[in-house]
Amino acid sequence: MINSRLMKKKSRQGAGLLLTILLFAFLYLPIIIIFIISINNSTRGYRFEGLTLKWYSELLFNFKTPSSDLVIFREAIFNTIWVALRSTIIATVLGTIFAIGINALDKKRRVRMMVLNNIPVVNPDIVTGISLMVVFTLISFSLGETTVLIAHVFFSIPYVVLSVVPKLKRLDPNMYEAALDLGCSRLCAIWKVIIPNISTGIIGGALIAFTMSIDDFVISYFTSGIDFENVSIWLYTKMKNPQNLNPTLYAYNVLIILITIGVILFISLKRDRKEKQK
Amino acid sequence: MKTLRRYSFPYLIWMILFVLVPTLFLVVLAFSDLSLYRLSAFSIRFDNFAIFQESYIITALSNSLIYAFVVTILSFLIGYPVAFYLTTLSEKTKKILIALLILPLWTNMLVRITAWERIFSPNSIFTDIFNVSIPILGTQAAVVIGLLALYLPFMVFPIFSVLDKLDPKMIEASKDLGANDTQTFIKVIFPLSLGGVVSGFIMTFLPSLTAFALPETLGWRRVPMIGMEIQKKFIIEGFQAFSINQGALISILIMLFSIASFILITRVDKEGETLI
């Protein structure tokens, strides 16, 4: 009896493990293909023709004889990163301020603001994209880099708020009052008491904002007009003829993954060390 | 602390500007002959509803609903057991596997779509290396598998985060009271994880419903979906008479799905804590 129950539990565990392995294989299959194309010595990429790092060096170091395609691609990469950096900084600052404000509200209003905050998170990208496009056209902002930047700030703020508010909830409100009693101004109390205590939430929010911005396609597409191209929009225009996609695209993509892994490892290791010191 | 309330006020204005104003304006566009690019006096008209009699819209809409439904159910059937299995592992393994689950999402969505395009081509690097050929490009199966690959993780995360926070004492109590594993699962674990399940359903259903770059590429435009029609109405045919008005009407229909999801999500998870 006990034996059969144990067997049942074991087989259930086995099924869970098998399904998990299959899921990971399924999710990583395209990533493996992307990686292989980026190190494959073939331009069209139909066959595997040996290992090479030439696409990486082409992307990173070829400034003397770049093809016109590469020049446009590099410009798109620059636009993507430049928008992501600015939108992350703006969204992190604004999102943190808004989160502090939301946290100070009474419960009923706080829940209402959080519901409002979650609208852009739940809404499909295409709805957000069209809504923003409509607003910008309405106030006759011509679509371009600025509107894309505002759009990215818009969809990033909710993630910053969602990642900061839980940290604020854990903060003892008396600490802030104590700082005020001890002669700190309001801004000084925020800066010296609140911010240091919610820094992990702020950093987490900033990371989500940055990765969301760098990979965004749909919202950028609807708010960019015809003059501005980031990597996704550039790629979308080329996807009609996928055989013309150059492996430098895949090299860029692998680099982005590696950089993201590096940054996250660095931050989490630093945090672990800090916790150990405590 | 109360003086800090004022910092939430600008956020309210910001949300009104970017959420409420465009929604109202889309409603006006959908029910009138107003032109987005040339604002003027307008009259109410219901002619835009005629698009719901066009066969291409009906096909696209029913395709989208069916695929989104299939993708969501498949995601749930695969995602729930996986999320459950992950919670049984040690803290360290759990952390690593969750990180590995997030990792593919840092790859540009469009680049992943082009990778699937290669996998589904009759003659590609995938065939060359793995010696298998899955030439299903341009079929419904390609679209559904592609959507599943993009959105399945969004089913796993919320369910995992709810299950992981579950108090083990609840399960012990249920067993002490004589329930077997199956009964414990049906009566205790599953109801308590419902918040995560609802979030997961919404986070996979809505993006699948509105996808447009994926069906264009993996479906070769042979498998129409409603996102493609919205994009066509707003961008490609944006300057044709009433095209944007028709697009606005379809968007309003999609928004109804979002609003329904929204009401559901605020019921089970008041502060949206399962969303990230």
Side-chain angles (χ1 to χ4, degrees), chain A residues 66 147 211 218 255:
Chain A
T147 50
T211 48
V218 179
L255 286 176

Side-chain angles (χ1 to χ4, degrees), chain A residues 58-77:
Chain A
E58 173 88 5
L59 175 70
L60 294 173
F61 307 117
N62 183 0
F63 285 99
K64 279 188 185 146
T65 54
S67 63
S68 60
D69 257 7
L70 185 60
V71 173
I72 298 171
F73 180 39
R74 279 208 188 116
E75 199 179 316
I77 293 177

Side-chain angles (χ1 to χ4, degrees), chain B residues 263-274:
Chain B
I263 293 170
L264 210 61
I265 222 168
T266 41
R267 284 255 166 109
V268 294
D269 173 14
K270 288 218 161 59
E271 300 198 21
E273 279 160 345
T274 52

Side-chain angles (χ1 to χ4, degrees), chain B residues 139-209:
Chain B
T139 65
Q140 300 184 338
V143 174
V144 170
I145 295 173
L147 288 171
L148 197 60
L150 286 195
Y151 302 122
L152 215 166
F154 297 106
M155 182 65 88
V156 181
F157 297 136
I159 295 177
F160 170 80
S161 78
V162 172
L163 285 178
D164 204 36
K165 279 183 212 143
L166 213 81
D167 191 348
K169 281 184 195 134
M170 295 275 204
I171 298 162
E172 276 170 38
S174 153
K175 294 216 170 128
D176 286 348
L177 293 171
N180 63 26
D181 282 356
T182 322
Q183 285 170 324
T184 306
F185 180 78
I186 295 172
K187 297 220 160 153
V188 180
I189 301 177
F190 189 74
L192 286 173
S193 64
L194 216 54
V197 174
V198 169
S199 286
F201 262 67
I202 290 166
M203 299 312 255
T204 44
F205 184 79
L206 287 180
S208 310
L209 184 73

Side-chain angles (χ1 to χ4, degrees), chain A residues 29 33 36 46-48, chain B residues 118-119 121-135:
Chain A
L29 184 59
I33 296 289
I36 291 173
Y46 287 125
R47 299 258 162 284
F48 190 71
Chain B
R118 304 234 180 186
I119 295 168
S121 301
N123 188 3
S124 75
I125 189 145
F126 176 72
T127 315
D128 193 40
I129 291 173
F130 296 98
N131 234 335
V132 250
S133 169
I134 320 172

